[in-house]
Amino acid sequence: MANVISLRNVNKIYGTEIKTQVLYDVNLDVEENSFSSIIGQSGSGKSTLLNIIGTLDKPTSGEVFINGIRTTEMKKDALAKVRNETIGFVFQFHYLLPEFTAYENIIMPYRIKGDAITPEVNERALELIHLMGLDKVKDNRATKMSGGQQQRTSIARALINNPKIILADEPTGNLDSDTTEKVYDLMRDINDKFKTTFLVITHDPRIAQKTDRIIEIKDGRISLDLVNQIA
Amino acid sequence: MKLALKIAWRFLTSSKGQTILIILGIAIGVSVQVFIGSLIAGLQQSLIDTAVGRSSQITIRPVNRDDRIPDYEAIITKVKATEPEINSISPVVDSSAFILANDSTYPTLLRGLQFDTADGIYRINEGILEGKLPTGDQVMLGKEFMDEAKLKVGDTISLVTASGTKRDVTVSGIFDLGVANLNKNWALSEMGLVQSIFDLGDQVTSIESQVSDVFTADVVGANIQKVVPSSLKVENWKDLNASLLSGLNGQSISSLMIQVFVLVSVVLGIASVLAISVAQKSRQLGILKAMGIRDRIASLIFLLQGFILGIFGAILGVGFGLGLAVAFTKFALNPDGTPVIDLFIDPQFIAISALVALAAATLAALIPARSSSRLEPIEVIRNG
Ligand SMILES: Nc1ncnc2c1ncn2[C@@H]1O[C@H](COP(=O)(O)OP(=O)(O)OP(=O)(O)O)[C@@H](O)[C@H]1O
Ligand SMILES: [Mg+2]
């Protein structure tokens, strides 16, 4: 199967005066339609890696390919387009726009894409809302929802443009274990249903156990990369 | 564009207090501009009206002081034909003389007028306090003179020329042209009387006129000069009132200065509030950029916020300003109930003030718009 994410010798060094190297020669390939988890200690470089994959950050050296296209040399507008159409983000602190309702937040990436809202897209948004169990709160402002609802809203938002890849940084980091379970099951369903590739950072070993592949980062290097037979 | 507008609008409506405050700030600036502008314009109009409203704005007279104008009818016809800007034009026979009344002698300017045309310049009919216009051997004298010489309508006085000719005339009425100096020094009569006392035949000493726009007097005057014989010169009020004009000019400049400073403070106010709002919205901007919004659209959000604030501020400001102006003319009154100053409401000036405020608000949003375009989403994502 094709790789939707490829990293070649990615290094990341922060700072100019005092240099801290956070990633060391990372090589990684992620297959289409897979569901992988990234684990590792706090400060090991997981978020840095994910942000580089998501084109939000640039590697100090090395190459990043998304869907076969090299993103390391791309212009800002082109990167914005990649983020909008190919990647969906779910951040730890859900990052919804507080001025907008759940529905409006979910539809936002589609509007950013610039196409007119068609009945089909509206249908899709409502389907995602239903899938995430948000029917009751879809017209609530982001601030008028519970943490779990906000997180599910941001997952729905990540999915609206039907991206190839979902990058999630501790998406359940501040949710209780029941809700965490539910959110993961949802992501799993979507992975099956829409053939979306998932790359998820987690601290929760029980969650990692359920993914197809577990990648462990230690001090900026991939220290463990195993295909999970149990999942 | 639509998306940027939607986001801009939502940002503004979700922090209403702040939005209303900026709009009020712009509105106050615009209203001060509209009010001060209308006030100064009204002031200038009334000044000009007092100075040249009831006088000849363009005067044709012989180059040589002692000459007369014989063919004045033909010249008037020609001037009217060449210059449509001329509102009123009237021949005048002026001569200095003395008035002998109640055993006292007073110097006077005896003005022989053609009353039906001269009324267009001096609004004499409006200014008749008592009696009527003079005919034949009659003169009309001013309010102040009548008081000083203790005369009343119907009295007989004598007109004496420098060469000693004397003519008895009766006072037909009293005029008030609004300027004490004229009321005191002018004696009005029909042209024929002055022509016969001074033996002038059918000649006049000058041709007076008014133009529809007083500020074009110099241009119109120059045009007239081209069509009248070279023995005649054309004077206009602007050349004769340089100090008044420079006074008006100074007033205009100070009014402009006030407006510029108001504008600057409006711009600074908007720029600083919008700059704060970029900081407040940096989280949202980071999210939008992570979702792939282009920098141009992100900037547009802030530019549009400035534009929207400008529109509402300008509309409200024009309303405030006009309200203030109306209140001023209603409540700042002279003892006789007329407004202290008649404001001059110029729709074009108001439209310009509003547009300038709008442009300034949009321009002020440029700085925050630029900084929003520079914001990197990673800053927001990394720092929570
Ligand atoms: N802007 C920065 N400048 C300097 N050092 C940084 C910067 N951002 C991150 N780091 C450092 O890089 C290292 C990796 O950070 P990163 O956020 O990737 O860790 P993480 O694995 O996601 O940790 P956590 O599990 O706590 O989220 C940390 O040691 C951190 O201090
Ligand atoms: Mg992290």
Side-chain angles (χ1 to χ4, degrees):
Chain A
M1 258 207 246
N3 290 327
V4 286
I5 301 170
S6 292
L7 303 191
R8 291 289 167 266
N9 302 320
V10 165
N11 286 284
K12 180 69 183 178
I13 301 169
Y14 281 117
T16 43
E17 307 241 319
I18 306 159
K19 298 190 176 172
T20 3
Q21 183 148 7
V22 178
L23 295 178
Y24 296 85
D25 279 326
V26 175
N27 286 286
L28 180 70
D29 290 302
V30 178
E31 276 183 1
E32 201 172 0
N33 195 20
S34 61
F35 198 115
S36 317
S37 60
I38 300 175
I39 57 169
Q41 282 190 339
S42 180
S44 55
K46 305 183 294 294
S47 296
T48 305
L49 183 68
L50 203 75
N51 290 335
I52 287 174
I53 293 170
T55 78
L56 292 171
D57 209 349
K58 280 196 180 313
T60 311
S61 66
E63 299 299 339
V64 179
F65 297 86
I66 298 298
N67 222 5
I69 307 163
R70 203 173 92 167
T71 61
T72 15
E73 296 296 315
M74 278 164 90
K75 293 255 162 52
K76 279 176 96 181
D77 276 2
L79 288 176
K81 195 171 154 74
V82 168
R83 285 203 293 275
N84 181 246
E85 292 174 7
T86 318
I87 303 172
F89 290 100
V90 184
F91 302 108
Q92 178 170 3
F93 301 103
H94 14 76
Y95 292 113
L96 295 179
L97 298 170
E99 293 87 355
F100 290 84
T101 65
Y103 172 84
E104 289 169 329
N105 266 286
I106 290 168
I107 208 100
M108 189 59 77
Y110 184 80
R111 302 199 57 143
I112 288 173
K113 201 161 103 189
D115 300 343
I117 304 237
T118 58
E120 289 75 37
V121 179
N122 187 49
E123 199 55 40
R124 180 174 166 81
L126 293 177
E127 188 193 336
L128 286 169
I129 284 170
H130 186 67
L131 204 64
M132 297 295 160
L134 296 167
D135 304 80
K136 283 213 177 82
V137 293
K138 72 178 166 53
D139 293 322
N140 285 19
R141 290 271 166 108
T143 43
K144 299 245 159 70
M145 289 192 286
S146 74
Q149 287 166 341
Q150 290 184 47
Q151 195 57 287
R152 282 178 276 149
T153 304
S154 70
I155 294 170
R157 181 182 65 186
L159 288 165
I160 189 70
N161 279 351
N162 215 347
K164 274 207 118 63
I165 306 160
I166 296 275
L167 301 176
D169 193 345
E170 298 181 41
T172 54
N174 54 355
L175 300 182
D176 62 66
S177 52
D178 271 9
T179 319
T180 301
E181 201 91 12
K182 228 160 76 199
V183 167
Y184 264 96
D185 290 345
L186 269 174
M187 295 203 287
R188 224 38 248 222
D189 288 350
I190 290 155
N191 172 240
D192 282 344
K193 204 169 166 199
F194 300 120
K195 306 294 170 213
T196 315
T197 310
F198 276 79
L199 190 56
V200 180
I201 297 177
T202 182
H203 268 126
D204 192 335
R206 285 176 305 151
I207 294 300
Q209 292 296 315
K210 291 185 171 184
T211 61
D212 302 336
R213 178 181 173 191
I214 302 169
I215 301 155
E216 190 186 27
I217 309 282
K218 197 170 182 184
D219 298 331
R221 292 184 174 88
I222 295 177
S223 59
L224 192 76
D225 188 348
L226 51 89
V227 174
N228 192 352
Q229 307 294 357
I230 313 156
Chain B
M1 181 75 186
K2 246 180 85 189
L3 176 65
L5 187 63
K6 189 185 163 84
I7 297 174
W9 184 258
R10 188 61 65 85
F11 278 1
L12 288 175
T13 50
S14 57
S15 44
K16 285 205 182 64
Q18 191 172 309
T19 303
I20 289 170
L21 224 63
I22 315 189
I23 290 180
L24 273 180
I26 301 172
I28 289 171
V30 172
S31 65
V32 167
Q33 279 199 316
V34 167
F35 179 66
I36 300 256
S38 304
L39 186 77
I40 303 261
L43 209 68
Q44 300 208 331
Q45 289 242 315
S46 77
L47 267 175
I48 291 166
D49 199 49
T50 322
V52 295
R54 262 183 173 178
S55 68
S56 176
Q57 293 158 359
I58 296 174
T59 310
I60 304 168
R61 55 173 102 250
V63 176
N64 191 332
R65 271 184 64 105
D66 299 327
D67 281 357
R68 310 278 177 259
I69 310 171
D71 49 352
Y72 62 91
E73 295 284 7
I75 292 172
I76 288 175
T77 313
K78 204 169 186 180
V79 167
K80 272 194 196 157
T82 35
E83 259 306 339
E85 278 282 300
I86 296 285
N87 266 353
S88 317
I89 183 158
S90 180
V92 184
V93 191
D94 277 334
S95 197
S96 357
F98 296 96
I99 291 175
L100 218 70
N102 299 332
D103 295 329
S104 303
T105 310
Y106 307 89
T108 190
L109 178 66
L110 185 57
R111 309 207 74 197
L113 301 177
Q114 198 176 63
F115 284 104
D116 53 342
T117 51
D119 194 55
I121 300 174
Y122 296 104
R123 304 199 300 267
I124 301 165
N125 286 319
E126 252 174 60
I128 300 177
L129 290 181
E130 215 185 312
K132 54 182 181 51
L133 291 174
T135 51
D137 279 356
Q138 291 182 333
V139 292
M140 193 183 202
L141 296 167
K143 185 174 102 196
E144 271 80 0
F145 182 84
M146 294 290 278
D147 290 345
E148 192 182 333
K150 299 196 178 55
L151 288 168
K152 57 186 192 303
V153 175
D155 284 351
T156 300
I157 57 165
S158 301
L159 294 174
V160 183
T161 68
S163 56
T165 318
K166 187 174 157 192
R167 175 87 65 105
D168 290 344
V169 294
T170 52
V171 178
S172 73
I174 307 172
F175 65 81
D176 176 7
L177 294 183
V179 181
N181 200 25
L182 304 188
N183 291 346
K184 197 168 166 182
N185 295 319
W186 282 12
L188 306 181
S189 76
E190 282 189 322
M191 271 180 13
L193 179 68
V194 189
Q195 283 167 340
S196 90
I197 294 174
F198 291 89
D199 215 5
L200 294 175
D202 190 24
Q203 302 183 104
V204 299
T205 54
S206 65
I207 298 168
E208 301 187 329
S209 64
Q210 283 202 343
V211 278
S212 43
D213 176 2
V214 291
F215 287 103
T216 60
D218 46 352
V219 180
V220 175
N223 286 342
I224 293 173
Q225 182 74 69
K226 284 180 212 146
V227 299
V228 297
S230 58
S231 62
L232 299 177
K233 63 177 177 194
V234 179
E235 291 172 345
N236 70 77
W237 74 273
K238 288 174 91 172
D239 290 345
L240 304 174
N241 289 276
S243 65
L244 171 68
L245 277 174
S246 74
L248 292 178
N249 218 349
Q251 220 174 39
S252 297
I253 291 171
S254 58
S255 150
L256 194 69
M257 292 279 280
I258 294 174
Q259 298 189 31
V260 166
F261 282 116
V262 168
L263 198 69
V264 168
S265 72
V266 167
V267 170
L268 289 179
I270 301 168
S272 62
V273 178
L274 282 180
I276 293 169
S277 104
V278 171
Q280 285 173 340
K281 304 290 184 205
S282 61
R283 186 178 158 94
Q284 285 86 326
L285 271 175
I287 300 164
L288 286 166
K289 287 194 174 186
M291 289 192 288
I293 206 164
R294 275 173 296 146
D295 289 352
R296 215 175 51 82
I297 309 281
S299 308
L300 200 56
I301 293 172
F302 286 87
L303 224 55
L304 283 172
Q305 287 191 57
F307 185 72
I308 293 169
L309 292 170
I311 285 187
F312 282 95
I315 291 173
L316 202 65
V318 168
F320 277 174
L322 289 181
L324 245 152
V326 168
F328 188 79
T329 49
K330 281 251 157 64
F331 299 115
L333 300 175
N334 290 319
D336 66 355
T338 56
V340 176
I341 295 166
D342 264 320
L343 296 188
F344 179 63
I345 309 287
D346 178 1
Q348 197 184 334
F349 164 74
I350 290 173
I352 289 173
S353 298
L355 285 180
V356 166
L358 181 56
T362 313
L363 218 70
L366 267 179
I367 304 157
R370 274 183 48 128
S371 65
S372 78
S373 137
R374 275 199 299 263
L375 182 116
E376 290 289 340
I378 186 70
E379 311 288 339
V380 175
I381 304 308
R382 190 187 289 140
N383 301 328

